[in-house]
Amino acid sequence: MNLIFTLIAALLAAGVTWWLVFVLWRGPKLDSSVEHHAVNAAVLRDQLVELEQDRANGILSVPDHAAAQQELQRRVLDEATPAQDTGQRRQSSKSAAIALAIVLPVAATLTYLAIGNPAAITPPPAQSAPAMTQADVQAMVDSLAARLARNPDDAPGWLMLARSYRYFEKYEDAAAAFAKAATVIQSDPLALSEFAETLARSNQAGFKGEPTQLLERALSLNPREPFALTLAGAAALERQDYPAAIDYWQQLFDLLPPDSDAARAVADSIERARRAQAETVTPKN
């Protein structure tokens, strides 16, 4: 950043200095003055020729012709007189240009160093935020639980607490918190699926009963909810309903990128369910 700023400032200063030096070095524009004298002299010559023709044609008398001729001669002499200070002015302009080319960049640099703040163009190093530890998260969860104890009607808060307990694998506490968040999870397919998994993990019955009912409600709200399809397949496999498990997981597979790790894991689960189904159909010798 410091190098870029310095380079841009140098280019700007060089551009301004070059333009001013160019103007001074070139000096006053003399070509227009020379052209002006040449044009005036040509006009005067034409007028002199016209005077001669007028005298020859008898339009002008001899005294008038002489007076007019003297006036034209005086004007010709005035136009022919060159400027006296041209060389001096050009020489002084070149000297000023050389002086400006040296003085202006030096003066600009010294002025910036005197009143500017070079350190301002170098941003301070970014300070990374301290990493949050599991103890910090636990403290936040405890604080949330204390707040909900004072405000038990906060259903969104109970859903947040339930998900926090689920993160810490406190499934019984999570199931109780999900139950208190019933008013907000009834229309949330993901929350219903999380509640179903929590109940299945917190009792010996697995997905039998309420967990399966929660998954059915979740899929009725959103038949393409990935987590609900995952758990519905697991619940079907648990009760040995292999066609249902394969169907749920095939729907899930169709939602995933074909080359993803998740798709490969689902494909493996489908293959295991098919093998289990084949073993139940094929009699053992």
Side-chain angles (χ1 to χ4, degrees):
M1 182 66 183
N2 195 351
L3 178 60
I4 295 175
F5 174 82
T6 302
L7 180 60
I8 293 175
L11 290 175
L12 289 175
V16 173
T17 302
W18 178 87
W19 183 80
L20 292 174
V21 168
F22 174 75
V23 172
L24 289 175
W25 184 271
R26 187 178 58 177
K29 188 175 180 181
L30 301 177
D31 294 342
S32 61
S33 175
V34 173
E35 292 174 359
H36 172 75
H37 284 290
V39 171
N40 286 348
V43 172
L44 292 174
R45 284 194 301 270
D46 292 341
Q47 291 179 355
L48 183 59
V49 172
E50 291 177 0
L51 284 177
E52 292 297 333
Q53 291 176 352
D54 290 343
R55 185 182 65 83
N57 294 331
I59 296 175
L60 289 177
S61 62
V62 174
D64 291 339
H65 173 266
Q69 188 178 40
Q70 289 178 359
E71 176 63 22
L72 285 176
Q73 289 174 348
R74 183 186 63 79
R75 290 170 59 186
V76 169
L77 290 174
D78 290 341
E79 292 296 334
T81 303
Q84 298 298 323
D85 58 344
T86 300
Q88 181 180 357
R89 283 185 295 175
R90 181 173 292 275
Q91 183 63 33
S92 62
S93 297
K94 291 184 177 181
S95 300
I98 295 173
L100 182 65
I102 298 173
V103 172
L104 184 59
V106 175
T109 302
L110 293 177
T111 301
Y112 177 74
L113 292 176
I115 65 176
N117 184 14
I121 63 175
T122 303
Q127 297 181 353
S128 59
M132 183 173 292
T133 64
Q134 187 166 349
D136 296 329
V137 177
Q138 182 63 60
M140 294 172 63
V141 173
D142 293 341
S143 176
L144 176 60
R147 181 175 67 80
L148 291 173
R150 298 189 299 270
N151 185 19
D153 295 331
D154 184 4
W158 284 111
L159 177 58
M160 184 181 298
L161 182 62
R163 285 170 168 166
S164 301
Y165 282 146
R166 181 169 169 267
Y167 169 79
F168 284 108
E169 298 182 357
K170 296 180 178 180
Y171 296 112
E172 292 183 0
D173 293 336
F178 272 120
K180 293 181 179 180
T183 56
V184 294
I185 69 174
Q186 290 304 313
S187 58
D188 186 340
L190 178 59
L192 287 170
S193 303
E194 292 170 337
F195 189 14
E197 184 204 29
T198 301
L199 288 175
R201 288 179 179 272
S202 62
N203 59 60
Q204 300 296 324
F207 285 99
K208 186 181 299 184
E210 186 178 4
T212 298
Q213 295 172 3
L214 291 170
L215 291 174
E216 290 174 350
R217 177 171 178 78
L219 289 173
S220 68
L221 293 172
N222 182 11
R224 296 167 61 86
E225 168 56 48
F227 194 42
L229 289 172
T230 301
L231 297 178
L237 187 68
E238 183 182 79
R239 61 178 183 267
Q240 297 184 349
D241 187 352
Y242 301 114
I246 294 171
D247 179 63
Y248 285 129
W249 286 337
Q250 186 61 53
Q251 294 180 56
L252 175 62
F253 180 83
D254 293 338
L255 298 176
L256 299 173
D259 297 331
S260 65
D261 293 338
R264 285 189 284 270
V266 173
D268 291 341
S269 298
I270 293 173
E271 184 61 27
R272 287 197 298 271
R274 285 173 176 167
R275 287 198 298 267
Q277 182 183 20
E279 290 176 359
T280 59
V281 173
T282 304
K284 297 182 179 179
N285 294 328

